[in-house]
Amino acid sequence: MSKLLPGTRALRTFEAAARHLNFTRAADELGLTPAAVSHQIKEIEDQLDLVLFTRTSRTIRLTEAGTVLLEASVDALDLLNRAVSRARKMTRGTALLKVTLDAQFATKWLMRRVDDFRKQKPGIEVRFDITYDVRDFELDDVDVGIRFGAGKYPGLRAHRLFENIIIPVCSPALLASGPPLKKPRDLFHHTLAHIEWSRQGVTWPNWRMWMQAAGVDDFDDSRTLVFRTSTDATQAALDGNAVALADFAMVASDLSQGRLVQPFELGIKVAQDFAYFLVYPEAIAEDPRVIAFREWLLEEAAKTPT
């Protein structure tokens, strides 16, 4: 009977085509050509002796048989992915700890400190998965993560690291050679950068919010530079191209070493419930690697200026 079933590659192709209801978009996702996707679907239909899609000159639709197979394919691929993830974690040994986190936290905070952890725990090898995507601990080959959010993650333990204060920063060269920055309204003569981020009704502080806190009510934010990530906004400040709003904890080292300066003391807190959290599945809470990393990370977070 197993010989009559499509292989996992074919099922992935079918699942993508069924999800998009478009062979071209499925091909783009899978790195194939539309003709290759169409050929694989035809092979599956011939192998199963079923019609999975009805085709017109412009559209495709799932048949009833296709809908049944799609539901089973999604479940089967998900189950297999979870099994592969567990198997990988079992076979890579007990010395390796994989941490998933975003680029901002990695480059501006953790990488500056992690050598200390390696010296304290030479028997634990730490590897990083640096991404802005939220990893699934059951599907992806990662053990613990650092996430920004409200700390409510079903099935996971979450430890708050530190609160986030958003401040204006710029390069010393810009402060020295550009238009003077004596009062908040002087910022009108500079390029201003910030990120655009909202989640669960919470908005990351932007220049309009900072100006309102500074008592400036006529600020026009239409000419601000809006970046996708805090890393990019901070880099614009480091390059001398803008005054940026940045998370104090993430730029503390740049400030202390003189790469950035803070022209105004005013800072804005991110909503109280939101912060960086260390997270991991409840099932591995007593894993010695997790305990060691958790204790070290929370100790370092407690020392972080805010």
Side-chain angles (χ1 to χ4, degrees):
M1 183 65 184
S2 61
K3 294 181 180 180
L4 300 178
L5 298 177
T8 55
R9 182 175 299 178
L11 285 180
R12 290 183 190 280
T13 301
F14 166 70
E15 187 276 334
R19 176 163 35 87
H20 290 292
L21 290 178
N22 184 292
F23 287 175
T24 299
R25 288 200 289 272
D28 289 341
E29 178 182 314
L30 298 169
L32 302 174
T33 65
V37 171
S38 179
H39 179 72
Q40 286 193 32
I41 296 301
K42 184 65 168 61
E43 281 192 337
I44 296 172
E45 290 180 322
D46 290 344
Q47 182 180 2
L48 298 178
D49 194 22
L50 292 171
V51 177
L52 304 176
F53 295 94
T54 56
R55 301 161 175 85
T56 68
S57 58
R58 294 186 177 181
T59 63
I60 62 172
R61 290 187 298 109
L62 280 170
T63 63
E64 289 186 7
T67 300
V68 170
L69 186 61
L70 173 60
E71 293 175 355
S73 297
V74 170
D75 290 343
L77 291 171
D78 180 70
L79 181 63
L80 184 59
N81 284 332
R82 293 177 190 277
V84 169
S85 177
R86 289 196 301 272
R88 283 176 175 164
K89 290 175 182 178
M90 290 170 61
T91 57
R92 60 175 162 83
T94 59
L96 179 61
L97 182 73
K98 287 194 175 181
V99 183
T100 180
L101 70 168
D102 66 48
Q104 165 87 349
F105 197 95
T107 59
K108 293 297 183 181
W109 197 87
L110 187 57
M111 294 304 185
R112 302 173 187 271
R113 296 167 168 80
V114 73
D115 280 348
D116 177 68
F117 176 77
R118 288 175 170 142
K119 290 176 182 176
Q120 290 187 31
K121 301 293 180 180
I124 300 176
E125 180 186 356
V126 181
R127 291 185 190 173
F128 299 104
D129 169 62
I130 299 177
T131 177
Y132 284 99
D133 296 332
V134 176
R135 297 303 195 194
D136 185 325
F137 288 107
E138 291 190 18
L139 288 175
D140 299 306
D141 188 20
V142 294
D143 299 302
V144 303
I146 296 169
R147 295 181 183 174
F148 184 84
K152 298 175 182 177
Y153 306 107
L156 303 181
R157 286 199 187 181
H159 304 270
R160 186 186 183 98
L161 298 182
F162 42 74
E163 64 183 7
N164 304 85
I165 308 295
I166 310 307
I167 61 169
V169 295
C170 64
S171 72
L174 183 145
L175 190 63
S177 61
L181 287 172
K182 302 295 185 182
K183 55 186 184 298
R185 298 183 70 86
D186 292 338
L187 288 163
F188 288 15
H189 305 296
H190 288 266
T191 300
L192 304 180
H194 62 89
I195 67 167
E196 194 170 79
W197 184 93
S198 294
R199 189 178 298 169
Q200 299 177 25
V202 172
T203 299
W204 189 269
N206 53 39
W207 275 112
R208 178 179 50 78
M209 297 163 64
W210 190 93
M211 289 291 183
Q212 287 178 347
V216 179
D217 297 324
D218 58 343
F219 174 65
D220 179 9
D221 64 357
S222 62
R223 295 194 299 169
T224 57
L225 293 177
V226 180
F227 289 93
R228 188 178 69 87
T229 70
S230 297
T231 301
D232 293 334
T234 302
Q235 190 61 51
L238 286 165
D239 292 342
N241 297 324
V243 183
L245 287 177
D247 185 340
F248 180 78
M250 297 297 106
V251 296
S253 179
D254 293 312
L255 290 168
S256 66
Q257 296 180 33
R259 290 187 293 268
L260 289 173
V261 293
Q262 182 179 347
F264 300 101
E265 292 186 3
L266 176 64
I268 303 177
K269 286 186 177 183
V270 179
Q272 185 174 359
D273 289 343
F274 278 69
Y276 279 107
F277 288 85
L278 170 68
V279 298
Y280 49 85
E282 291 276 2
I284 64 169
E286 301 307 316
D287 186 308
R289 298 166 303 163
V290 175
I291 293 174
F293 188 74
R294 178 183 68 220
E295 291 178 350
W296 171 82
L297 188 69
L298 293 178
E299 183 178 331
E300 288 297 313
K303 295 187 283 187
T304 299
T306 57

